[in-house]
């Protein structure tokens, strides 16, 4: 078993050595075979192009998110999705009532500010000055009258309080020295003591647990309590009769004292108001009879501020009507009549070097989106290695997944200077403008662009398969006198199929295109179909 395995391994190793020798001979060693035993290419001149490809989306050449600048209730929408609109055309309106009211208020404030400025700038007539002085004199007389009336009221209130206090003192003294009052108080005290004794006896005899009519000793106890209570009540009435006058005196004193404090506060307010009127009248006389530059400047500033407020209110009123900012097609509408209009939301991210929008999967928050589809552009994310080769005005061929057999030429407008990270991959957006339009093309369609990044016309070229690169140096196998001779060459543009040769080969020379010959099971033969590529290509 082990012996058979070793034999198989040895046989395979022999086959590998043979194949390696054949490849080395065909590729790197000159041979004496005739030209029809090798794959040869005659060096000629032709145009070489190198290109990069990318897939993006078709977008309008210009797009705008359109929203109301003021909020309000939608009262009309004058277009539908898919309609073509012209710049300045009315799109929708909101209820203008709040803005109309604000505009009217701003106009009124402006008129007032202008009147104040005119008053500050225009001297007063003699009659107006006399009127201002009369106003000051009237205010001063009112102040004097108010002070006199307040002082009189305060004096009367103080006299009344003093009289009340004297009357209370007299009545309290008379009560203190009244024998009848003292006797009544003594009787009340004696009867209250007797009542308490009767109540104690009632409780001692356990009468609290009974209800009327009582029985046993509780009958007499209840009668004694009732009799004593009646005496106490009668005594209290007698005492109250003696103190009624003193209580009335105290009540009157309290009322008159409260009135005194109220009149004093009210009078002080009246005096303060009268003094303020005097100050106002004096200020009016001073300010309107004296020319004050600062006052004029202040009035002028108020007029300027009021004019700005009118302009703002007028603009807000105009903004209740939404108009198209450009010619184009209505792509979307967010809102219906009766809803609150979307305001100030939705901005358009522009593609590099153009007003075309960047493709986005997110829906716009704008009230309307308008796109100018009279011209179309393609916005494509390119890998960083390809983006570095892109430049302005490079020729481009664009195809469309949704429209087979349609190819439109275009050119690169611009390449983004900042990268965009998409699914962890760094890309750079590039914008390609189309040289013509087609009715079948729609915004958002998937577009495939082939950009020619370099080109050499009437150049000496060789197939990419013929070029081998070793250590940064390019080589071809030139076919000289029936042998393949490794020859160093200088290269230029590396295209998709051919490489420009700028030195080392002349037009008409022949080079060997490497192929791999493999023996067949029946004894050998050459494979067809172009062979296997050896070395680097463009």
């Amino acid at each position: 078993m082990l012996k058979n395995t070793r034999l198989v391994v040895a046989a395979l190793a022999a086959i590998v050595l043979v194949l390696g020798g054949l490849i080395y001979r065909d590729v790197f060693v000159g041979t004496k075979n005739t030209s029809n035993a090798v794959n040869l290419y005659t060096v000629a001149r032709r145009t070489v192009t190198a290109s990069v490809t990318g897939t993006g989306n078709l977008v309008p050449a210009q797009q705008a998110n359109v929203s109301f600048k003021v909020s309000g209730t939608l009262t009309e929408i004058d277009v539908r999705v898919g309609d073509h609109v012209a710049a300045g055309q009315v799109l929708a309106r909101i209820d203008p009532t709040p803005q109309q009211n604000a505009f009217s208020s701003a106009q009124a404030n402006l008129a007032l500010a202008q009147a104040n400025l005119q008053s500050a700038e225009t001297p007063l007539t003699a009659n107006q000055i006399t009127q201002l002085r009369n106003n000051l004199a009237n205010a001063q007389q009112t102040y004097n009258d108010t002070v006199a009336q307040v002082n009189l009221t305060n004096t009367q209130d103080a006299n009344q309080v003093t009289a009340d206090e004297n009357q209370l003192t007299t009545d309290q003294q008379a009560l203190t020295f009244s024998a009848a009052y003292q006797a009544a108080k003594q009787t009340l005290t004696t009867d209250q003591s007797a009542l308490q004794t009767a109540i104690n006896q009632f409780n001692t005899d356990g009468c609290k647990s009974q209800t009327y009519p009582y029985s046993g000793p509780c009958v007499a106890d209840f009668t004694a309590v009732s009799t004593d209570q009646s005496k106490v009540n009668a005594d209290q009435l007698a005492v109250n009769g003696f103190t009624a006058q003193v209580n009335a005196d105290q009540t009157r004193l309290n009322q008159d004292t409260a009135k005194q404090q109220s009149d004093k506060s009210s009078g002080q307010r009246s005096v303060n108001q009268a003094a303020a009127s005097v100050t106002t009248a004096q200020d009016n006389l001073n300010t309107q009879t004296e020319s004050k530059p600062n006052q004029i400047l202040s009035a002028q500033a108020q007029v300027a501020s009021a004019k700005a407020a009118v302009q703002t209110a007028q603009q807000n009123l105009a903004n209740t009507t939404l108009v198209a900012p450009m010619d184009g097609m209505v792509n979307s509408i967010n809102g219906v009549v009766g809803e609150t209009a979307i305001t100030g939301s939705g901005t358009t991210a522009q593609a590099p070097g153009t007003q075309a929008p960047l493709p986005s999967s997110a829906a716009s928050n704008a009230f309307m989106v308008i796109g100018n589809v009279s011209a179309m552009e393609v916005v494509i994310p390119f890998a960083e290695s390809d983006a570095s080769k892109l430049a302005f005005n490079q020729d481009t061929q664009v195809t469309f997944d949704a429209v087979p057999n349609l190819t439109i030429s275009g050119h690169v407008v611009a390449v983004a200077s900042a990268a965009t990270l998409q699914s962890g991959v760094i890309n750079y957006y590039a914008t390609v403008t189309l040289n013509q339009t087609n009715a079948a093309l729609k915004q958002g369609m998937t577009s495939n662009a082939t950009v020619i990044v370099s080109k050499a016309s009437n150049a000496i070229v060789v197939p990419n398969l013929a070029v081998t690169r070793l250590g940064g140096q390019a080589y071809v196998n030139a076919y000289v006198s029936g042998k393949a001779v490794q020859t160093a060459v200088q290269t230029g543009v590396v295209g998709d199929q051919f490489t420009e040769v700028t030195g080392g080969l002349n037009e008409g020379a022949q080079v060997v295109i490497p192929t791999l010959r493999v023996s067949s099971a029946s004894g050998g033969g050459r494979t067809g179909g172009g062979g296997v590529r050896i070395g680097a290509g463009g």
Side-chain angles (χ1 to χ4, degrees), residues 241-263:
F242 287 107
T243 60
Q245 185 60 47
V246 172
N247 292 338
D249 293 344
Q250 184 64 59
T251 299
R252 186 180 303 107
L253 174 60
N254 293 341
Q255 291 174 346
D256 290 342
T257 300
K259 181 177 181 299
Q260 181 186 32
Q261 296 299 324
S262 176
D263 289 346

Side-chain angles (χ1 to χ4, degrees), residues 18-35:
V18 171
L19 289 175
L22 292 174
I23 293 173
Y24 180 81
R25 184 197 66 186
D26 285 348
V27 175
F28 299 107
V29 180
T31 178
K32 295 181 180 180
N33 291 341
T34 62
S35 60

Side-chain angles (χ1 to χ4, degrees), residues 418-435:
T420 300
L421 190 64
Q422 295 179 328
S423 301
V425 178
I426 294 178
N427 289 318
Y428 290 82
Y429 276 110
T431 305
V432 173
T433 185
L434 300 181
N435 292 335

